[in-house]
Amino acid sequence: MIDEIIDLSDVGDVLRRSLDGGRLSVEDGVRLFESNDIHAIGAAANEVRRRINGNRTYYVVNRHINYTDICKNRCAFCAYSRNEADPDAYAMSVDDILARASSYYDEIKFTELHIVGGLHPTLPLEYYTEMLSSIRDKFPGVHIQAFTAVEIAHIAEVGGLSVRNTLQILIDAGLGSMPGGGAEVFSERVRDAICPEKMSGQAWLDVMRQAHELGIKSNATMLYGHVETGLERVEHIIALRDMQDVTGGFMTFIPLKFHPENTKLSHLAAQQSSIDDLKLYAISRLMLDNIAHIKVFWIMLGLKIAQVALSYGADDFDGTVVEEKITHRAGATTPEGLTVADIVRLIQETGTAPIERDTLYNEVTRNEAGLPAIS
Ligand code: V47
Ligand code: SF4
């Protein structure tokens, strides 16, 4: 069946090469983005997903915390950030963060805290180390996934330290792994248009390389659906693949769907297409032959397309999340969090098997009291 679909496709030669274990080139990737045959591209991606991850769809019981919206970068695509003087700007104290985490921990024993924020001009290194060590002391079994590569470089700059030293200090304080944000699209042309103040794509990769060398795993993202071309997407994906060949430190790739509301790029709203979402998920699965997982961040994608994406290459549904500001300030209409029962049902509806994982993709089982054990 899949052979017939591929034989009839205008990109059948590329799909066949990928299924035979070949590595796709820049030209192959661009051809896939130019093709309208999402059925064949999706079928091939689903087959690759099946070979790598079987029928499993992973999810994590986590809570997101966005500790400050004050940010010196003010990227054009970001509705979340504020200037320090804005009346609704906030920066959480470490006690606030602990209280927020505790209230959810009373309800459900999460295995991960996912912490990201803006580039606050003055918060010192000690704020971040105290945040990590206090969380570690209060929730000893919980994995802390925190600070994008952009935040790490900023924390280093404010503290007058190298990125490597900063990473080591944060690891010693309890940092477990890093989220994949801040990558956007590596192309200089795109960065000039959407986030001129942000570190370069090369600098982002360089922070990740150093984190991986220090034994820290991370995720990787691409923010899509604004001004980028198919070629720029492909070059971004291949830069991640090249880095992964060297370090092996990326756990998952997450395409982040751009939400334009309340941003300086709100005129780009007409470019949003679910066909494009699914094609991008499938092409990512086919091109990233050395990254094990592709995640649907359902908050940004929407629950329905997130479910469909699980048949277009994705194998990870992310998590319970609980509280999310970055996408909701940019007009997302998804809930801010989901219960485990919701996630399990949404995954089961796709015909795949829900598997609770920890941050590092170890399987989690729970006892009758709901306490997690990692196998
Ligand atoms: O870097 C900002 C993106 C990222 C918008 O690693 C926007 O598992 C869409 O990286 N529309 C931060 N996206 C969040 C992030 C993330 C989220 C979920 C899981 C993981 C992970 C990482 O959010 C930013 C930027 O790329 N973003 N504004 C917007 N208007
Ligand atoms: Fe700041 Fe991140 Fe928003 Fe850019 S995307 S303005 S770096 S919070």
Side-chain angles (χ1 to χ4, degrees), residues 64 77-79 114 145 179-182 184 198 219 221 223 254 256-259 263 295 297 300 318 326 330:
H64 280 222
F77 60 78
C78 180
H114 179 109
Q145 178 164 82
E184 321 315 355
K198 190 163 265 178
N219 299 335
T221 58
L223 178 73
I254 313 146
L256 297 176
K257 181 185 175 74
F258 172 52
H259 283 251
T263 76
K295 182 191 284 192
F297 190 48
M300 289 186 190
D318 196 79
I326 298 173

Side-chain angles (χ1 to χ4, degrees), residues 32-334:
L32 292 178
F33 276 113
E34 283 169 355
S35 168
N36 287 320
D37 196 353
I38 67 156
H39 188 47
I41 298 170
N46 195 36
E47 172 60 17
V48 172
R49 175 239 206 264
R50 204 188 52 75
R51 288 182 193 169
I52 302 174
N53 290 297
N55 196 35
R56 297 182 292 280
T57 296
Y58 294 97
Y59 69 93
V60 61
V61 180
N62 65 356
R63 195 197 200 286
H64 280 222
I65 293 182
N66 302 130
Y67 58 92
T68 183
D69 60 359
I70 297 168
C71 184
K72 68 176 183 115
N73 272 6
R74 305 307 313 268
C75 304
F77 60 78
C78 180
Y80 170 67
S81 62
R82 298 285 184 270
N83 293 328
E84 211 167 355
D86 287 342
D88 58 346
Y90 73 89
M92 292 167 74
S93 67
V94 171
D95 283 344
D96 290 341
I97 294 170
L98 290 174
R100 214 54 85 81
S102 294
S103 67
Y104 184 53
Y105 202 72
D106 290 344
E107 206 181 303
I108 184 160
K109 303 294 176 258
F110 53 80
T111 62
E112 171 187 283
L113 276 176
H114 179 109
I115 305 175
V116 293
L119 310 188
H120 192 289
T122 53
L123 286 173
L125 178 61
E126 294 69 35
Y127 168 79
Y128 302 94
T129 52
E130 199 199 323
M131 182 198 304
L132 293 169
S133 58
S134 313
I135 293 171
R136 185 180 53 187
D137 292 348
K138 185 147 193 178
F139 308 102
V142 168
H143 182 107
I144 309 173
Q145 178 164 82
F147 313 137
T148 64
V150 181
E151 287 165 273
I152 297 284
H154 172 71
I155 297 167
E157 193 186 313
V158 172
L161 293 169
S162 69
V163 163
R164 190 174 288 270
N165 281 349
T166 305
L167 277 165
Q168 192 57 63
I169 291 167
L170 295 172
I171 293 167
D172 292 343
L175 181 70
S177 65
M178 284 166 60
E184 321 315 355
V185 175
F186 294 144
S187 143
E188 238 178 272
R189 183 195 76 84
V190 172
R191 284 180 118 69
D192 283 349
I194 68 166
C195 53
E197 303 301 325
K198 190 163 265 178
M199 67 174 9
S200 69
Q202 196 48 53
W204 185 95
L205 286 163
D206 200 48
V207 173
M208 284 305 187
R209 182 182 50 73
Q210 296 187 62
H212 296 171
E213 284 169 0
L214 291 169
I216 284 285
K217 298 275 186 202
S218 77
N219 299 335
T221 58
M222 177 171 74
L223 178 73
Y224 71 94
H226 39 85
V227 302
E228 84 288 0
T229 63
L231 174 62
E232 285 159 344
R233 289 178 178 185
V234 171
E235 286 173 342
H236 181 98
I237 291 169
I238 288 186
L240 292 173
R241 190 174 73 184
D242 289 346
M243 170 72 59
Q244 181 75 340
D245 277 342
V246 177
T247 69
F250 291 123
M251 298 183 286
T252 181
F253 176 64
I254 313 146
L256 297 176
K257 181 185 175 74
F258 172 52
H259 283 251
E261 233 175 84
N262 306 321
T263 76
K264 292 184 195 125
L265 301 178
S266 54
H267 56 285
L268 296 178
Q271 287 191 8
Q272 304 279 309
S273 134
S274 298
I275 298 289
D276 187 45
D277 297 332
L278 295 173
K279 202 163 41 163
L280 175 53
Y281 269 88
I283 296 171
S284 306
R285 180 60 291 167
L286 293 171
M287 298 208 70
L288 290 170
D289 52 23
N290 56 3
I291 297 185
H293 303 285
I294 305 284
K295 182 191 284 192
V296 280
F297 190 48
W298 55 264
I299 294 250
M300 289 186 190
L301 202 52
L303 291 173
K304 290 178 182 163
I305 295 297
Q307 281 184 303
V308 180
L310 295 176
S311 304
Y312 279 74
D315 63 283
D316 185 345
F317 204 73
D318 196 79
T320 40
V321 181
V322 184
E323 186 179 7
E324 202 278 343
K325 294 197 169 65
I326 298 173
T327 329
H328 283 84
R329 283 190 178 171
T333 54
T334 43

Side-chain angles (χ1 to χ4, degrees), residues 340-362:
V340 171
D342 284 336
I343 292 179
V344 166
R345 177 184 53 78
L346 287 161
I347 294 173
Q348 280 171 340
E349 282 173 2
T350 70
T352 60
I355 306 285
E356 185 182 346
R357 64 163 176 90
D358 70 358
T359 311
L360 303 177
Y361 289 84
N362 301 301

